[in-house]
Amino acid sequence: MFITKLESLRGIAALMVAVSHCLIVFSVDQNEMIWATSLQDAKGTQAFLTRLLLVPFNGGAAVTIFFVLSGYVLGLSLDRKSKNIRSYFAFYIKRIFRIYPAYIVCLTFIILSIALFHTYTKYPNTSVWFQAWYQTDITFENAMANYALLETNLNQVAWTLKVELIISLLFPFAYLVNRNVGTKLNVIFLFLLVIVSFLAGIMPFGNLYFLYGFVFYIGLLLPPLIEKLNLYVGQGAWSTIFIVSIACLLCSRSLFSSSNLFCAVLIEAIFAALIVAILADEKTNLFLSRILDFEIVRKLGRYSYSFYIYHFIILYWLAYSLLLFVSPEITSSYPLLLGVILAIISVTISYYVAMLSYFGVERPMIKYGAVTAEKIAGFAKKSHEQVGLIQK
């Protein structure tokens, strides 16, 4: 079941990530970590306005939306398949072809452009985040590790792809649990995943990749949740819930310190799930939801994966080029304006690059992955049947 609004929501989330990166290229009012500063602690008009813009353009909340959407959509895709090992093997094949081809092409572009044209310079009035990128030459070992997603230091957003792949390995098991046990056991399983996420945030062995496991599972829980919400929530309340959910989703990271990521992600996941549920079931017709039907937003949703993975390197080169020609006095005086200009230019370029990537790489590889998965599944079925005949 294809739901247009959810594809558009993915595009909006990708746009949120892109703009948030543009706003943190420069230090603002001598603040080199504006994203980690609370609104009340932002000193200076530009710092306050930048931090305020980082509420709607909240990259962290956008990532949580991605993961809830993945859990929901992947669960629906498995609902349409037979419950056997061949279907789950086909699922793995499709995920690889969905994630890797466009990523490999993008990473190759990053490696070549950095290797051929980049010289690291620590520019004044730039953020700690911007200064951290590409300080050393890219080695062959580092490049190969990034291709395999063992390391993710060459593309800002690649860590989320690594999370997607790790969760994809475990997803069929989580799906079987979700679809074959009752509500109480599902709640217990979700609670255990939340505990794992909490421990990942406080223990020395904690890992970012364990933090988001429960977020995918919340997405898996949405189909029965939508049915229950329809029983208990009146028609007139949906629009209010939708608006409140958006506000809570966007404000979550403003309520907690950067060291308390678990609580922020937990709140984001709950309200992202409500937003996805409402949009999936067409429960509101507010302007905020009708935006998702705009043609440009639908196209952005369609190209969102390529847009997401290409935007960072496009932004980096635009900022790098800008810093070659703009004086430190200007970057110190107008960091917010420069960030907005970078956002307009980088988002526009990334949109058209993403369109080329979608039609040239993504869509052909998705189709090829589906065909390959079916062939392998069919071969496995024939082999299984032949073994059965021999045993008889």
Side-chain angles (χ1 to χ4, degrees), residues 45-73:
T45 302
Q46 291 194 78
F48 178 81
L49 291 174
T50 301
R51 188 60 189 84
L52 191 63
L53 282 172
L54 286 171
V55 175
F57 296 106
N58 185 335
V63 168
T64 302
I65 292 172
F66 285 143
F67 293 157
V68 171
L69 275 171
S70 288
Y72 178 61
V73 173

Side-chain angles (χ1 to χ4, degrees), residues 78 81-92 94 377:
L78 287 176
K81 304 297 181 182
S82 302
K83 307 298 186 291
N84 55 53
I85 193 67
R86 293 187 300 275
S87 295
Y88 302 132
F89 189 66
F91 168 82
Y92 292 134
K94 290 178 181 178

Side-chain angles (χ1 to χ4, degrees), residues 22-263:
C22 296
L23 294 173
I24 63 173
V25 168
F26 299 100
S27 61
V28 189
D29 292 330
Q30 286 74 54
N31 188 333
E32 295 183 333
M33 297 178 63
I34 189 64
W35 64 91
T37 305
S38 64
L39 266 173
Q40 58 267 30
D41 292 332
K43 303 278 192 285
T45 302
Q46 291 194 78
F48 178 81
L49 291 174
T50 301
R51 188 60 189 84
L52 191 63
L53 282 172
L54 286 171
V55 175
F57 296 106
N58 185 335
V63 168
T64 302
I65 292 172
F66 285 143
F67 293 157
V68 171
L69 275 171
S70 288
Y72 178 61
V73 173
L74 292 177
L76 292 182
S77 71
L78 287 176
D79 283 340
R80 300 193 297 269
K81 304 297 181 182
S82 302
K83 307 298 186 291
N84 55 53
I85 193 67
R86 293 187 300 275
S87 295
Y88 302 132
F89 189 66
F91 168 82
Y92 292 134
I93 298 295
K94 290 178 181 178
R95 291 303 289 161
I96 290 171
F97 277 91
R98 179 68 185 94
I99 293 173
Y100 262 112
Y103 169 70
I104 288 172
V105 175
C106 177
L107 183 59
T108 301
F109 169 73
I110 291 173
I111 291 171
L112 290 176
S113 68
I114 296 298
L116 294 175
F117 305 111
H118 186 265
T119 300
Y120 179 75
T121 305
K122 187 175 181 179
Y123 289 102
N125 307 316
T126 53
S127 68
V128 171
W129 174 79
F130 185 79
Q131 293 169 13
W133 290 97
Y134 311 122
Q135 293 186 14
T136 58
D137 293 337
I138 300 172
T139 64
F140 176 79
E141 292 78 10
N142 183 225
M144 291 301 102
N146 273 267
Y147 276 119
L149 281 173
L150 297 175
E151 294 182 14
T152 57
N153 66 310
L154 298 181
N155 189 333
Q156 161 68 18
V157 302
W159 71 269
T160 64
L161 308 186
K162 186 172 181 178
V163 172
E164 287 272 0
L165 283 176
I166 291 172
I167 298 298
S168 292
L169 288 172
L170 304 172
F171 194 83
F173 168 75
Y175 170 81
L176 287 173
V177 171
N178 175 257
R179 296 299 198 257
N180 290 287
V181 303
T183 303
K184 290 182 180 179
L185 287 177
N186 260 308
V187 170
I188 291 172
F189 192 71
L190 175 62
F191 178 74
L192 292 175
L193 290 175
V194 170
I195 293 299
V196 170
S197 174
F198 174 73
L199 293 175
I202 65 170
M203 300 298 286
F205 59 82
N207 192 301
L208 185 65
Y209 306 114
F210 292 110
L211 177 66
Y212 288 97
F214 79 93
V215 180
F216 287 83
Y217 201 76
I218 286 177
L220 263 177
L221 286 169
L222 283 182
L225 176 64
I226 291 172
E227 293 180 7
K228 292 185 183 300
L229 286 173
N230 285 332
L231 292 175
Y232 298 110
V233 179
Q235 186 63 37
W238 285 110
S239 294
T240 302
I241 294 173
F242 186 67
I243 293 172
V244 170
S245 296
I246 291 174
C248 292
L249 171 76
L250 296 178
C251 293
S252 174
R253 300 204 181 203
S254 298
L255 300 175
F256 298 97
S257 66
S258 56
S259 61
N260 197 357
L261 186 58
F262 165 76
C263 288

Side-chain angles (χ1 to χ4, degrees), residues 296-312:
I296 187 66
V297 179
R298 293 176 64 176
K299 286 183 177 179
L300 180 61
R302 191 178 310 147
Y303 312 147
S304 59
Y305 176 56
S306 286
F307 178 89
Y308 180 66
I309 60 176
Y310 273 98
H311 178 265
F312 171 72

Side-chain angles (χ1 to χ4, degrees), residues 14-15 21 105 155 277 291 298 385:
L15 181 64
H21 288 164
V105 175
N155 189 333
I291 289 174
R298 293 176 64 176
E385 290 172 349

